[in-house]
Amino acid sequence: GAFSSNTSQIIYSGNPKNNTISIMINVYMGNDYVEQIIDVLSQNNTKATFFVGGIWIEKNRDCFMKIYNSGNELASHGYWHKDHNKLSDEAQINEIQLTDELVTNLTGVKMSLFAPPSGSFNKHTAYIAENLGYKTIMWSKDTIDWRDQDENLIYERATKNATAGDLILMHPTKATASCLDKIIKYYKKQ
């Protein structure tokens, strides 16, 4: 097919020389805790990258605009939260393009990072994303907060052996919103 290149990279961590840790928040269901998370970030003078799903944006415009207006980074989580490993090239293009157009129309922002839902991708995904102007991002630490609603566990997964360049995956859950302040303060101390 047209997409036969395997040279496109998938990024699992940031540059350790920058001595920073990045918080990635995947948003594709509900908005109950998004504002609380934005507030915690703001109180700590910290920015995160919000990977937003297109269908979520459609249903939660106001909340999406709050993320944008808070100055946090917007990134793509596709449109329908589909398994990219099982999608045709055309369907993958569609997932990224639909969300891209939606975000650009609402905010004027051209996003440049794409996180495939559930971390699932095939050998064409990164190449397709790159052709559409995106880097494909995974993570180095997963808090598994969507499953485990346990603040101590989430805190431990986010901070244990934390190193510069880490990409920490989170979701806007109640437990995450509650322990995020403590996590950020831990990173800042380190």
Side-chain angles (χ1 to χ4, degrees):
F3 298 110
S4 53
S5 160
N6 265 341
T7 58
S8 306
Q9 281 191 314
I10 292 182
I11 298 164
Y12 289 86
S13 63
N15 184 347
K17 291 195 184 79
N18 294 343
N19 202 30
T20 56
I21 283 180
S22 300
I23 296 173
M24 308 171 49
I25 300 169
N26 287 356
V27 188
Y28 53 88
M29 49 187 187
N31 59 17
D32 296 349
Y33 303 102
V34 173
E35 285 186 43
Q36 196 180 333
I37 284 173
I38 292 171
D39 289 345
V40 171
L41 289 164
S42 165
Q43 285 151 16
N44 284 283
N45 198 18
T46 299
K47 299 274 186 255
T49 303
F50 285 80
F51 288 83
V52 288
I55 195 67
W56 177 85
I57 297 170
E58 299 277 19
K59 293 178 181 157
N60 299 278
R61 288 265 167 116
D62 291 353
C63 190
F64 167 72
M65 291 310 289
K66 282 180 181 147
I67 297 172
Y68 166 64
N69 290 321
S70 67
N72 286 287
E73 183 177 22
L74 296 175
S76 176
H77 201 42
Y79 195 84
W80 294 105
H81 205 259
K82 293 262 202 251
D83 180 339
H84 277 251
N85 184 33
K86 299 192 173 98
L87 295 180
S88 68
D89 289 358
E90 203 176 344
Q92 291 196 72
I93 291 168
N94 216 19
E95 281 289 307
I96 297 170
Q97 261 180 339
L98 281 172
T99 307
D100 185 87
E101 286 163 14
L102 180 59
V103 169
T104 302
N105 288 339
L106 289 172
T107 65
V109 169
K110 170 70 176 106
M111 301 179 293
S112 61
L113 305 175
F114 168 65
S118 312
S120 179
F121 55 88
N122 65 27
K123 62 182 195 288
H124 295 173
T125 306
Y127 182 68
I128 287 167
E130 195 172 285
N131 274 8
L132 296 168
Y134 284 82
K135 289 186 170 101
T136 301
I137 308 288
M138 296 294 279
W139 57 83
S140 57
K141 285 193 187 325
D142 189 350
T143 59
I144 322 176
D145 53 0
W146 54 271
R147 186 187 74 197
D148 302 324
Q149 291 296 306
D150 177 329
E151 288 179 39
N152 294 329
L153 205 50
I154 293 166
Y155 175 81
E156 188 184 325
R157 285 176 183 151
T159 58
K160 196 177 177 190
N161 306 323
T163 50
D166 264 339
L167 303 178
I168 318 286
L169 180 60
M170 299 179 181
H171 299 77
T173 67
K174 181 174 199 237
T176 298
S178 300
C179 66
L180 184 59
D181 184 67
K182 199 170 128 189
I183 291 170
I184 294 171
K185 288 184 162 64
Y186 173 85
Y187 294 153
K188 290 205 163 181
K189 258 216 305 269
Q190 304 303 308

